Amino acid sequence: MMPDYPSPTAVVCHDAGAANIVIAGLLETGRSDWRAYMRGPAEKLWKAAYPGIAPCDTLESILEDVELLVTGTSWASDIEHQVRRLARSRKVRTVAVIDHWVNYAERIVRNGETVWPDEFWVTDEYALSIAKHAFPGRIVIQVPNRYVETQLRDIARVDKADVPELLYVLEPIRSDWGQGTPGEFQSLDYFVSHLPGLDLPSATVIRLRPHPSDAPGKYKDWIASHPDLKIQLDGSLGIAQSLGRATWVAGCESFAMVLALMAGRKVFCTLPPWAPACRLPHSGLIHIGKSG
């Protein structure tokens, strides 16, 4: 069942993951009576979905006369934490949408302060189990993921590339695992070192798709340091186009890897053995460098 959104409902997001899920759910209602405060990647997504609804200027104004606040649970911003705290002081019911399968407890804590929502929304049975374990006694509800449903339909409509392609979906790791180099670059190096064992056709093109939060040019030098490989930045506008073209997908713990599995792609996890184990709970991932 789709959740019920009272009129008006306020929505606050920063990162793309939860924003995609929230916006897809709102679009399905056919309504446009939303109050929105969007920053970061979520702002661009909101403008594309609702060009006629300008986001509010302040967190205070978004909560005026609303009954429900729906937020993401971003890593890269504090705005969702701040607005949940403000909503609690105003007795506005709050929902926190979790779009992934890792670091649940940390998503609602900033500077040692935990601000609980009234409900958590998740979108699959894996997340439901993890959230109930991470937040015992709290309300956790599984809601449909209209974003994923749309993406899978769009992926199926895309023709495979004429030349075989492997899509590498990048993400900021936020740890160097004691090695002095950001984890995303260590994983890329580990992936390249194990390419011969993946038995890919020699003509395979490797396309790197940066994370929405990555700075422009972040991987330029790394690509230039591997002139012997057919590595390019992915220029597709949407993830569906990127996944549709690809025969194989690789990455660390990205949401796009799960989407690729659901779309029937062969998916490689590139986390090196000195990194923490991959926390994606989904079956079917191939962990490179490991037997079986």
Side-chain angles (χ1 to χ4, degrees), residues 14-30:
H14 181 279
D15 291 0
N20 278 319
I21 294 170
V22 170
I23 291 171
L26 299 182
L27 286 170
E28 187 181 41
T29 69

Side-chain angles (χ1 to χ4, degrees), residues 51-250:
I53 306 178
C56 295
D57 293 328
T58 67
L59 293 176
E60 289 78 8
S61 63
I62 199 177
L63 293 175
E64 293 177 3
D65 301 319
V66 302
E67 297 180 33
L68 177 66
L69 167 70
V70 179
T71 79
T73 47
S74 302
W75 275 105
S77 172
D78 291 342
I79 60 170
E80 293 141 327
H81 184 85
Q82 293 169 10
V83 76
R84 282 196 299 272
R85 183 201 301 127
L86 187 61
R88 182 165 294 280
S89 71
R90 297 188 180 188
K91 300 186 179 348
V92 174
R93 185 166 68 93
T94 60
V95 168
V97 177
I98 302 178
D99 60 285
H100 211 281
W101 300 271
V102 303
N103 298 322
Y104 279 21
E106 295 87 342
R107 291 171 181 268
I108 58 170
V109 178
R110 292 293 186 276
N111 300 317
E113 178 193 39
T114 300
V115 177
W116 292 100
D118 294 293
E119 300 175 14
F120 290 97
W121 289 356
V122 298
T123 60
D124 68 15
E125 65 276 11
Y126 297 107
L128 184 67
S129 176
I130 295 169
K132 286 186 173 181
H133 182 264
F135 308 125
R138 300 286 171 173
I139 298 173
V140 182
I141 298 172
Q142 183 176 338
V143 299
N145 194 332
R146 300 305 189 214
Y147 170 72
V148 163
E149 293 171 7
T150 300
Q151 291 298 309
L152 291 175
R153 287 196 298 269
D154 291 345
I155 291 168
R157 296 188 182 112
V158 178
D159 293 330
K160 291 284 185 65
D162 294 334
V163 176
E165 289 186 4
L166 180 144
L167 178 70
Y168 193 111
V169 286
L170 295 153
E171 61 187 292
I173 299 299
R174 301 183 177 88
S175 175
D176 66 1
W177 304 318
Q179 304 292 313
T181 302
E184 55 265 42
F185 287 99
Q186 294 182 53
S187 296
L188 276 170
D189 290 338
Y190 186 72
F191 164 71
V192 167
S193 72
H194 283 78
L195 265 177
L198 302 186
D199 295 324
L200 305 183
S202 59
T204 299
V205 173
I206 299 168
R207 292 193 181 274
L208 304 185
R209 183 176 179 86
H211 190 270
S213 65
D214 283 332
K218 177 176 177 178
Y219 297 97
K220 180 179 178 181
D221 291 343
W222 187 90
I223 293 173
S225 70
H226 295 83
D228 54 322
L229 298 175
K230 300 179 181 67
I231 302 178
Q232 306 172 7
L233 277 181
D234 177 48
S236 302
L237 292 177
I239 189 63
Q241 183 73 20
S242 300
L243 290 174
R245 290 172 54 89
T247 301
W248 308 273
V249 176

Side-chain angles (χ1 to χ4, degrees), residues 30-54:
R31 290 163 45 192
S32 58
D33 55 332
W34 315 115
R35 298 263 185 84
Y37 185 92
M38 300 288 178
R39 293 294 184 267
E43 186 173 7
K44 182 178 180 181
L45 295 170
W46 182 263
K47 289 179 178 178
Y50 287 105
I53 306 178

